[in-house]
Amino acid sequence: MSKNSEQQSGLEIEQRNFNVKRFLFGYLKYWYLFLISLVLALLVARYYNWYATPIYRSSCRIILEDENAGGENILKELNDYKRNRNLENEMQILKSVSLISKAVKQLEQEETYILQGKIKSTELYTKCPFVIKTDTLNESAYFSELDIKVLSEDKFELSSHIRNKEEQVNTQEYSFNKKITNELGTFKVSIRKGFDEKLFNDPKYDKKNFKVFFNPIENIASYYAANLTIEVAASGSSILQLSATDVVPEQCADFLNKLTEVYIQNSIEQKNLLASNSLKFIDTQIKQISEELKQIEDDMLDFKSDKGITDVDAQSKLFLEQVKGFDERISENNVQLSFIDYLEKYIKENKKVNDITPSSLGIADPLLIKLIATLSELENERDRRNYDSKSNNPLVEALDQQIKKVKTSILETLNSIRQGYNIVQKEASQQLGKIESKIRTMPKTEIELISIKRQFTIKEGLYVYLLQKRSETAILLASTVSDNRIIDKAEPSYNPIKPVKSKTNAIAIVLGLLLPALIISVRSLLNDKVADREVLESNSKIPLMGIIGFNDDNNSLFSEQKPKAIFLESLRTIRTNINYFIGESKNKKKQNIILVTSSISGEGKTFCAYNLSGIFALSEKKTVLVCLDMRKPKLVEGIKLKHDKGMSNYLAGISTIEEVTQHADALPYLDIIFSGPIPPNPSELLYKEKMDELFEYLSEKYDYVIVDTPPIGLVTDGILLSKYSDVNIYVVRQNVTRKQHLQFINKLYEEGKIKNLGIVFNAVKDSSSGYGYGYGYGYGYGGYGYGEENESKKKNKLQQIFSKKPSA
């Protein structure tokens, strides 16, 4: 048979229908392993739930309110971007270390208080019975650990050492509420308000050992920044949900509330900064105009004194009243035009516009205000992207294009506003020129006085105008509110997110069941031995003649008092199947030679041969047992027959067949031919012509000839003897015979080298399979193997013939 045919045949054997019953039984028989593993896993889970430091999560929500977009195209185009930008920018601001550091400073979390237990430690936060108030701390304090042991309501022991080092400061006793100065700095330990210090006098009160760590603000801020999560509460909304985790639920909630509080206050301060810059600009202008106004007033008084004029006449007053309105309009226009020029120059020089508020200076154009606010936001976004990203970032390039577009719109808007002011300026100048032509017709003294009076009026009007703007800006500064507000405050959550008891127990149950199942599966995969009938039948097409059960006690194998014993029934089944094999032959020649073999030693081959010969003899059939295993013969204990002569003597021509044949007194129909002394050349003896004569003689004289051969997997003697046999029995022992041994015998069977071959499944335990072969198990074989010694004593006739532990 070709190699491909062998592989195909092997595949056909392996490809069987999946047996659910066998699969489940393969695991259920190890139920005790699953139980032990499950109990241990649940115990570990319970300990983990108790010992692991719980992690808690708190959440709060804030809303970012956006101004409604105007009807202008440029604003409409930028409004959607603004909303998304606002959300992302505000997220980054909330997660910034600077803002978090500011919140942590206000919370006073620089000290960590830990209660030391016998097995585990617990962080206390505000539940610590004392608090440390620091005056000054040295740098070494941030790398040190304070051990505090409370002695009474007044005293405590304090020792400190640098973490991860063995250097220990001498333990000293201190009093509460007294200033302490040592290598770490100056601080005071005080009983926390609301705690009953009398508890420290109770010897049963065990919460007296504590550890304290001083934490740099930067480390705390970095910790919270790493544990802070910010996300949009709902798609399309401007509500942000902030979540943070900590080992103390109250501490986590306090941090979130303080962070949102600082964030809102920070936005107010940012708005106030813009208003303050506008206020400074107005104050500068007021100061300058105030000085000019005082100078003009002094000049007017000097002029009147020199000329002896008390006041202008009625006509001059009329002219002054007419000029005053136009002068005020022209002055205001000049201020606004100067700011427009300043703003235009500012934009062209690519300076940032964060500190510019046009509305505070009288330029109330809504489009210009909106564009400047948008430009400021875009510039801030570009700065953040430049900081976070590498060069040539597509997002930064897109922002540059948007900034350029907004700047172009601002310059166009400024030019449009300037044109409007110029028109007003031109019209006012024309009207003023007409009045000035009339004034020139007046006397020179009147003209000079009117000129001085006019300058004073202009400066006075401008001064009043700036005072009005300053007042408006101050009101704006005082009434500034944040565009953002808190929707839900953070509340302490006492349900830990880690560990979750139900989740931990579920994992423990899964692992508790999975681990033994995995071990059993791996063991099963690595086990290449025949474990049960299912494995045997799936790895071989050779017919199964019968199953012999495993016997773990020392009871007799055959019992005359129990003729219907399970072991006897299994042997009878094998005997019946052998007769079927013999009866199927159409040859008229007497066919009664039965060869028993196996793959290796220890599979119970000799045991089966002895007992099969016995079961045939019990049926009053003349039977002979021929022991042809001359390489490693087994002297069966309990048989009161001599073993000094046997087949080796006969084949060597030393003895006759009659001389080596012995009669078993316990069974009248059974004769035994032992193997005899071990010859130096057993294979050569088997090739002699005497073998032909031997089997021809035995076949004629006896009804059944049982031949015990050497293991077929170790030597070729069994294959050589198979040419004489009419029925061949191949013994497979549970959990001893390997699957590769079956492949060898399968090949011999498929190639036709061994005819009329059947398998006897030996030493089968009832717990190893869910079903039997017509009978139950539990009796019979008790650990027999090739070359093993018999250790039990026999009590009846058959037990004297068949050893409890015959050779294989």
Side-chain angles (χ1 to χ4, degrees):
M1 181 181 291
S2 65
K3 184 176 181 180
N4 291 336
S5 299
E6 294 175 12
Q7 293 177 351
Q8 184 176 0
S9 176
L11 290 174
E12 291 176 356
I13 293 174
E14 292 292 338
Q15 291 176 350
R16 304 283 184 174
N17 293 331
F18 180 71
N19 192 320
V20 177
K21 182 178 179 181
R22 176 178 173 270
F23 175 79
L24 293 177
F25 187 80
Y27 290 98
L28 292 177
K29 67 181 179 181
Y30 298 104
W31 62 269
Y32 54 91
L33 292 180
F34 288 94
L35 180 61
I36 294 172
S37 177
L38 191 59
V39 170
L40 291 177
L42 289 174
L43 289 175
V44 171
R46 183 177 180 181
Y47 177 78
Y48 173 78
N49 287 329
W50 172 80
Y51 182 79
T53 302
I55 304 297
Y56 301 91
R57 173 182 285 134
S58 292
S59 300
C60 65
R61 296 196 300 170
I62 60 175
I63 184 170
L64 309 182
E65 296 180 347
D66 294 332
E67 298 178 5
N68 293 328
E72 297 85 353
N73 292 334
I74 183 67
L75 298 181
K76 189 173 182 179
E77 180 180 347
L78 294 173
N79 192 59
D80 291 337
Y81 168 78
K82 177 183 176 183
R83 173 183 292 250
N84 295 331
R85 186 225 52 85
N86 277 344
L87 292 176
E88 188 173 350
N89 275 5
E90 299 309 310
M91 288 181 187
Q92 296 301 322
I93 292 173
L94 283 164
K95 294 192 72 171
S96 64
V97 176
S98 59
L99 190 70
I100 294 176
S101 298
K102 191 174 181 180
V104 171
K105 286 180 181 178
Q106 296 185 22
L107 282 174
E108 299 181 354
Q109 291 185 348
E110 286 114 309
E111 297 85 25
T112 299
Y113 304 94
I114 296 177
L115 172 65
Q116 291 184 276
K118 294 181 180 179
I119 300 178
K120 62 180 293 188
S121 300
T122 307
E123 187 172 341
L124 297 177
Y125 187 44
T126 56
K127 294 181 180 179
C128 183
F130 58 86
V131 61
I132 295 181
K133 298 179 181 179
T134 59
D135 186 0
T136 58
L137 286 180
N138 300 326
E139 186 177 355
S140 60
Y142 295 108
F143 303 96
S144 300
E145 174 185 307
L146 271 68
D147 292 323
I148 296 178
K149 181 179 180 180
V150 180
L151 303 176
S152 67
E153 60 177 310
D154 299 318
K155 302 289 185 181
F156 65 92
E157 286 183 354
L158 185 145
S159 60
S160 62
H161 65 274
I162 298 177
R163 277 174 270 182
N164 303 324
K165 289 190 177 181
E166 297 182 356
E167 299 179 3
Q168 182 82 24
V169 178
N170 292 331
T171 302
Q172 297 186 31
E173 186 176 305
Y174 296 94
S175 298
F176 286 110
N177 300 316
K178 300 292 184 180
K179 186 175 290 188
I180 300 172
T181 301
N182 57 17
E183 298 82 358
L184 304 181
T186 302
F187 54 91
K188 181 170 64 175
V189 181
S190 303
I191 297 294
R192 191 180 293 274
K193 186 178 179 181
F195 179 78
D196 184 10
E197 62 270 17
K198 300 295 183 182
L199 290 173
F200 288 139
N201 298 327
D202 186 358
K204 295 182 179 179
Y205 188 73
D206 57 350
K207 297 179 180 180
K208 295 182 179 181
N209 295 314
F210 303 88
K211 284 185 182 292
V212 180
F213 301 97
F214 295 107
N215 307 304
I217 294 294
E218 297 78 11
N219 292 2
I220 303 175
S222 299
Y223 167 79
Y224 278 122
N227 289 281
L228 180 62
T229 302
I230 305 175
E231 56 188 3
V232 180
S235 178
S237 72
S238 58
I239 298 176
L240 297 181
Q241 178 165 314
L242 285 70
S243 301
T245 58
D246 206 327
V247 296
V248 182
E250 297 87 356
Q251 185 169 274
C252 185
D254 289 349
F255 163 71
L256 286 176
N257 290 330
K258 181 59 67 174
L259 178 63
T260 53
E261 178 184 327
V262 170
Y263 166 71
I264 291 176
Q265 184 61 35
N266 186 68
S267 65
I268 294 175
E269 291 175 357
Q270 186 66 26
K271 282 189 172 184
N272 288 343
L273 176 62
L274 302 180
S276 297
N277 290 334
S278 300
L279 195 60
K280 290 178 182 178
F281 176 81
I282 294 173
D283 286 339
T284 303
Q285 296 296 319
I286 289 176
K287 182 179 180 181
Q288 180 181 351
I289 294 174
S290 177
E291 292 175 355
E292 292 176 357
L293 188 61
K294 188 175 184 305
Q295 181 64 40
I296 294 172
E297 186 177 10
D298 291 341
D299 291 344
M300 186 171 60
L301 290 174
D302 292 341
F303 181 80
K304 286 182 178 181
S305 177
D306 292 341
K307 300 298 183 179
I309 302 173
T310 58
D311 204 351
V312 296
D313 57 15
Q315 186 179 8
S316 298
K317 287 183 179 180
L318 179 61
F319 286 141
L320 282 174
E321 290 294 332
Q322 292 176 349
V323 169
K324 181 180 179 181
F326 293 108
D327 284 338
E328 289 178 353
R329 187 183 304 176
I330 292 172
S331 298
E332 292 176 6
N333 280 355
N334 285 334
V335 172
Q336 292 171 342
L337 284 171
S338 64
F339 182 73
I340 289 173
D341 293 338
Y342 168 76
L343 184 57
E344 185 177 36
K345 182 180 178 181
Y346 206 88
I347 296 296
K348 289 181 178 180
E349 291 178 354
N350 293 323
K351 294 181 179 180
K352 291 188 177 181
V353 295
N354 291 350
D355 301 336
I356 299 174
T357 53
S359 59
S360 64
L361 295 173
I363 303 178
D365 186 85
L367 179 58
L368 178 63
I369 295 173
K370 192 71 174 180
L371 288 173
I372 289 177
T374 302
L375 179 59
S376 176
E377 293 167 357
L378 289 172
E379 288 176 342
N380 290 335
E381 176 69 8
R382 182 181 60 181
D383 291 342
R384 188 182 67 80
R385 293 289 183 183
N386 279 331
Y387 179 78
D388 295 339
S389 307
K390 299 179 179 179
S391 58
N392 300 326
N393 189 326
L395 293 176
V396 175
E397 294 178 358
L399 286 172
D400 288 337
Q401 292 296 325
Q402 290 179 328
I403 289 172
K404 184 178 179 181
K405 186 175 181 180
V406 174
K407 284 184 175 181
T408 301
S409 299
I410 291 175
L411 293 175
E412 291 176 355
T413 303
L414 288 174
N415 187 48
S416 177
I417 295 172
R418 181 188 290 109
Q419 290 177 3
Y421 283 131
N422 286 334
I423 293 173
V424 174
Q425 189 85 336
K426 183 178 179 181
E427 183 180 351
S429 297
Q430 289 176 354
Q431 296 296 329
L432 186 60
K434 294 178 181 180
I435 298 173
E436 286 177 345
S437 63
K438 293 179 181 181
I439 293 175
R440 293 191 199 97
T441 61
M442 297 176 65
K444 183 177 180 181
T445 302
E446 291 287 335
I447 293 173
E448 291 178 1
L449 182 58
I450 289 174
S451 177
I452 296 172
K453 196 88 171 176
R454 180 182 172 189
Q455 291 179 13
F456 180 81
T457 304
I458 293 172
K459 296 298 181 181
E460 184 183 33
L462 187 56
Y463 181 77
V464 172
Y465 172 77
L466 290 175
L467 286 177
Q468 180 184 356
K469 289 300 177 183
R470 186 185 187 281
S471 177
E472 293 174 356
T473 305
I475 293 173
L476 177 65
L477 187 64
S479 60
T480 302
V481 294
S482 176
D483 291 335
N484 312 320
R485 56 188 175 88
I486 300 174
I487 299 178
D488 295 320
K489 280 192 171 184
E491 296 292 339
S493 173
Y494 297 98
N495 294 320
I497 62 171
K498 180 182 178 183
V500 180
K501 291 185 179 180
S502 59
K503 185 177 180 180
T504 305
N505 292 334
I507 293 175
I509 292 173
V510 172
L511 292 179
L513 296 176
L514 186 61
L515 186 61
L518 182 62
I519 294 174
I520 294 171
S521 299
V522 172
R523 181 174 177 270
S524 177
L525 290 174
L526 297 178
N527 182 20
D528 65 340
K529 298 177 181 178
V530 179
D532 51 35
R533 175 177 174 175
E534 181 78 14
V535 176
L536 174 62
E537 292 179 341
S538 64
N539 283 271
S540 178
K541 291 183 178 180
I542 301 174
L544 182 63
M545 282 188 166
I547 298 176
I548 299 177
F550 183 86
N551 182 26
D552 55 1
D553 55 34
N554 293 323
N555 294 331
S556 61
L557 301 180
F558 292 118
S559 175
E560 295 177 350
Q561 288 78 18
K562 295 181 180 180
K564 294 184 178 181
I566 299 298
F567 178 72
L568 285 175
E569 291 298 330
S570 62
L571 289 176
R572 291 189 183 103
T573 300
I574 298 172
R575 181 184 64 187
T576 302
N577 290 331
I578 290 175
N579 289 328
Y580 279 131
F581 269 85
I582 295 174
E584 290 177 358
S585 175
K586 297 180 181 179
N587 195 338
K588 295 182 180 180
K589 180 183 175 182
K590 190 175 183 181
Q591 297 185 353
N592 56 359
I593 300 176
I594 303 167
L595 184 144
V596 182
T597 187
S598 65
S599 296
I600 58 173
S601 62
E603 293 176 319
K605 167 182 60 62
T606 302
F607 165 79
C608 293
Y610 273 67
N611 285 283
L612 280 176
S613 62
I615 200 67
F616 279 112
L618 284 176
S619 62
E620 298 182 354
K621 299 290 183 180
K622 291 185 63 179
T623 306
V624 62
L625 173 63
V626 182
C627 301
L628 282 176
D629 188 356
M630 294 180 292
R631 296 178 181 272
K632 193 177 181 182
K634 178 67 175 69
L635 301 178
V636 182
E637 295 181 6
I639 298 179
K640 297 179 180 180
L641 298 174
K642 296 181 179 180
H643 297 77
D644 55 343
K645 291 183 180 181
M647 289 301 303
S648 58
N649 301 95
Y650 168 74
L651 295 175
I654 299 175
S655 303
T656 64
I657 189 64
E658 290 81 5
E659 292 175 347
V660 297
T661 302
Q662 301 184 62
H663 182 70
D665 295 335
L667 291 174
Y669 292 92
L670 178 63
D671 291 340
I672 301 177
I673 303 176
F674 293 105
S675 58
I678 300 176
N681 55 346
S683 295
E684 286 76 2
L685 292 177
L686 297 177
Y687 276 104
K688 290 191 174 185
E689 295 180 358
K690 282 184 172 292
M691 289 296 297
D692 298 334
E693 298 174 1
L694 171 68
F695 282 109
E696 185 176 354
Y697 169 79
L698 294 176
S699 179
E700 291 296 332
K701 183 177 179 181
Y702 295 95
D703 296 320
Y704 294 98
V705 179
I706 311 298
V707 182
D708 178 23
T709 70
I712 198 172
L714 299 178
V715 293
T716 60
D717 296 356
I719 299 176
L720 295 176
L721 294 172
S722 64
K723 67 180 180 179
Y724 300 106
S725 64
D726 300 301
V727 178
N728 297 284
I729 297 176
Y730 179 75
V731 178
V732 175
R733 182 175 179 179
Q734 186 183 41
N735 293 323
V736 174
T737 305
R738 299 183 182 275
K739 296 176 184 178
Q740 62 183 16
H741 296 154
L742 291 178
Q743 294 177 5
F744 176 71
I745 195 66
N746 287 337
K747 182 179 179 181
L748 295 177
Y749 178 72
E750 292 170 358
E751 292 176 350
K753 293 182 179 180
I754 298 181
K755 305 292 185 181
N756 292 336
L757 180 62
I759 290 177
V760 170
F761 198 17
N762 187 31
V764 177
K765 294 182 179 180
D766 185 30
S767 60
S768 67
S769 179
Y771 52 90
Y773 187 71
Y775 304 97
Y777 305 142
Y779 297 90
Y781 188 64
Y784 302 96
Y786 186 79
E788 296 176 356
E789 299 296 329
N790 182 13
E791 297 179 357
S792 60
K793 300 297 182 180
K794 312 301 178 288
K795 297 180 180 180
N796 52 41
K797 294 181 179 180
L798 287 179
Q799 196 172 12
Q800 294 175 356
I801 301 175
F802 304 107
S803 169
K804 184 68 176 175
K805 293 185 178 180
S807 64

